[in-house]
Amino acid sequence: MHLNLNYKSTQALKALAERSPSATPMFRRSELVAAGLEEQAIRSLLDDGSLVRHQRGVFSPALGTVPDPALVRIHAHDAASSGQSHVYTHTSAAHIWGLSVWRARPRVHVAHASRRGDAGPLSDVVRHNQRVPARDVRLVDGLRVTSLERTVVDCARLLPFEQAVVIADSGLSRGADEAVLQRLVSEGKATRGIRKVREVLLAADGRSESPAESRFRLLLAEWNLPEPELQLWITTIGGRERVDFGWPRRRIVIEVHGYGKYFDYLPIDEKVAQQQAREGRLVAAGWRVLNVYWPELDDPVTLGRRVKAFVRTPHAAVELR
């Protein structure tokens, strides 16, 4: 009888999740009960791990993959909040859009026309008492969120310069419309923080494919080194290779390795072997290669000395001008 109850409860939960418009479905207790899951069934699903409690009265099915904790928190907040009067903004919107969010504080940013109607806990929710124009609101994964362009601009106001550029680079690479960005800047020309927004957009480049590349590109400008070509294609014996930063006249390449380059998809040994083989092909084609790793970006003085020496050292096969 107990096994039959568990089976029926699991099937009811599965059916409820399949009807959800979100990839991270969250349900209030009342929704579980309405789907036929009484208190005993809810307790049983919690005990066997099929159901997870995220905050008081808010649950989700056990998620098959490891989700972004920030997204889980946003979806839990949405489920706990009454009605759909709110819009997710700033770094919360960036998470929802799938942008690279680096070092942002774990806060849920939400805009309300008023402060009513939000049942989320106060400790990690930042409420912006403002009305977001309808033209700047989108529906993403079942959540009302600021447009990609508005998200980039809002984050540029809120975050330190380096973090804001990381998000702006990511937004541009995902298709943020530069004309819309400029329109938002023009509309906010008399508002607080707009000068920093302009500086962030001026420094942004959608060709940077990771926070590591964005941070390193900013350091190159700080060090007053010659501007490289980003995502440069080079022909080698193995075919066409795309490198992060290249100086064709100098025949030099710098590859910047973020954490993900080593630990996504393949075991570490295999990733290192692939990197070494790729570097060998570039060297055989007449290029010098320097590898920069994520932890080095936190010591720009030491890294700067190494990079400057590499860039300024003449290549044996190239006459520098």
Side-chain angles (χ1 to χ4, degrees), residues 207-224:
R207 292 174 297 173
S208 289
E209 296 183 335
S210 70
E213 291 180 28
S214 297
R215 295 178 67 197
F216 185 72
R217 193 186 75 249
L218 293 178
L219 287 173
L220 286 176
E222 228 177 83
W223 296 328
N224 294 315

Side-chain angles (χ1 to χ4, degrees), residues 1-181:
M1 185 72 176
H2 180 67
L3 290 177
N4 188 45
L5 175 62
N6 278 357
Y7 175 77
K8 288 183 177 179
S9 301
T10 301
Q11 292 303 107
L13 180 62
K14 182 180 178 182
L16 188 61
E18 288 174 349
R19 293 195 297 270
S20 172
S22 172
T24 311
M26 294 279 172
F27 306 108
R28 293 189 293 275
R29 184 181 296 274
S30 59
E31 293 174 290
L32 296 177
V33 172
L37 295 169
E38 299 296 339
E39 287 300 320
Q40 182 182 352
I42 292 172
R43 285 197 299 272
S44 178
L45 291 171
L46 287 169
D47 289 342
D48 69 18
S50 300
L51 190 66
V52 179
R53 179 186 285 109
H54 293 279
Q55 63 183 64
R56 184 175 180 180
V58 176
F59 308 85
S60 77
L63 301 169
T65 57
V66 179
D68 180 341
L71 278 177
V72 171
R73 181 65 195 91
I74 292 165
H75 281 277
H77 171 272
D78 191 64
S81 302
S82 58
Q84 290 293 319
S85 62
H86 57 270
V87 177
Y88 291 101
T89 67
H90 298 82
T91 52
S92 294
H95 278 293
I96 294 167
W97 280 109
L99 303 185
S100 296
V101 181
W102 170 62
R103 278 187 178 172
R105 298 179 68 189
R107 298 288 187 267
V108 177
H109 289 267
V110 60
H112 289 272
S114 71
R115 294 186 181 271
R116 297 179 180 177
D118 186 352
L122 295 174
S123 60
D124 66 347
V125 177
V126 180
R127 295 173 175 82
H128 300 272
N129 189 20
Q130 63 189 62
R131 187 184 299 276
V132 179
R135 67 179 178 179
D136 292 338
V137 177
R138 304 289 185 272
L139 189 66
V140 178
D141 197 18
L143 301 169
R144 295 178 75 236
V145 58
T146 48
S147 69
L148 188 55
E149 294 81 10
R150 173 73 181 254
T151 299
V152 168
V153 169
D154 285 347
C155 288
R157 292 179 191 274
L158 177 74
L159 298 173
F161 180 76
E162 191 179 20
Q163 291 173 248
V165 170
V166 167
I167 286 179
D169 284 357
S170 184
L172 288 170
S173 72
R174 288 180 176 265
D177 188 319
E178 294 191 45
V180 175
L181 289 169

Side-chain angles (χ1 to χ4, degrees), residues 210-271:
S210 70
E213 291 180 28
S214 297
R215 295 178 67 197
F216 185 72
R217 193 186 75 249
L218 293 178
L219 287 173
L220 286 176
E222 228 177 83
W223 296 328
N224 294 315
L225 288 172
E227 188 174 346
E229 291 190 30
L230 306 187
Q231 311 307 329
L232 176 67
W233 286 96
I234 296 173
T235 300
T236 72
I237 57 173
R240 300 258 289 164
E241 308 272 4
R242 186 159 60 94
V243 300
D244 298 334
F245 300 88
W247 289 260
R249 290 180 60 194
R250 287 169 162 79
R251 304 282 286 184
I252 60 175
V253 163
I254 295 182
E255 293 276 71
V256 181
H257 303 276
Y259 183 88
K261 280 195 177 182
Y262 277 103
F263 295 96
D264 287 350
Y265 312 119
L266 292 174
I268 179 67
D269 291 344
E270 191 171 345
K271 290 293 288 185

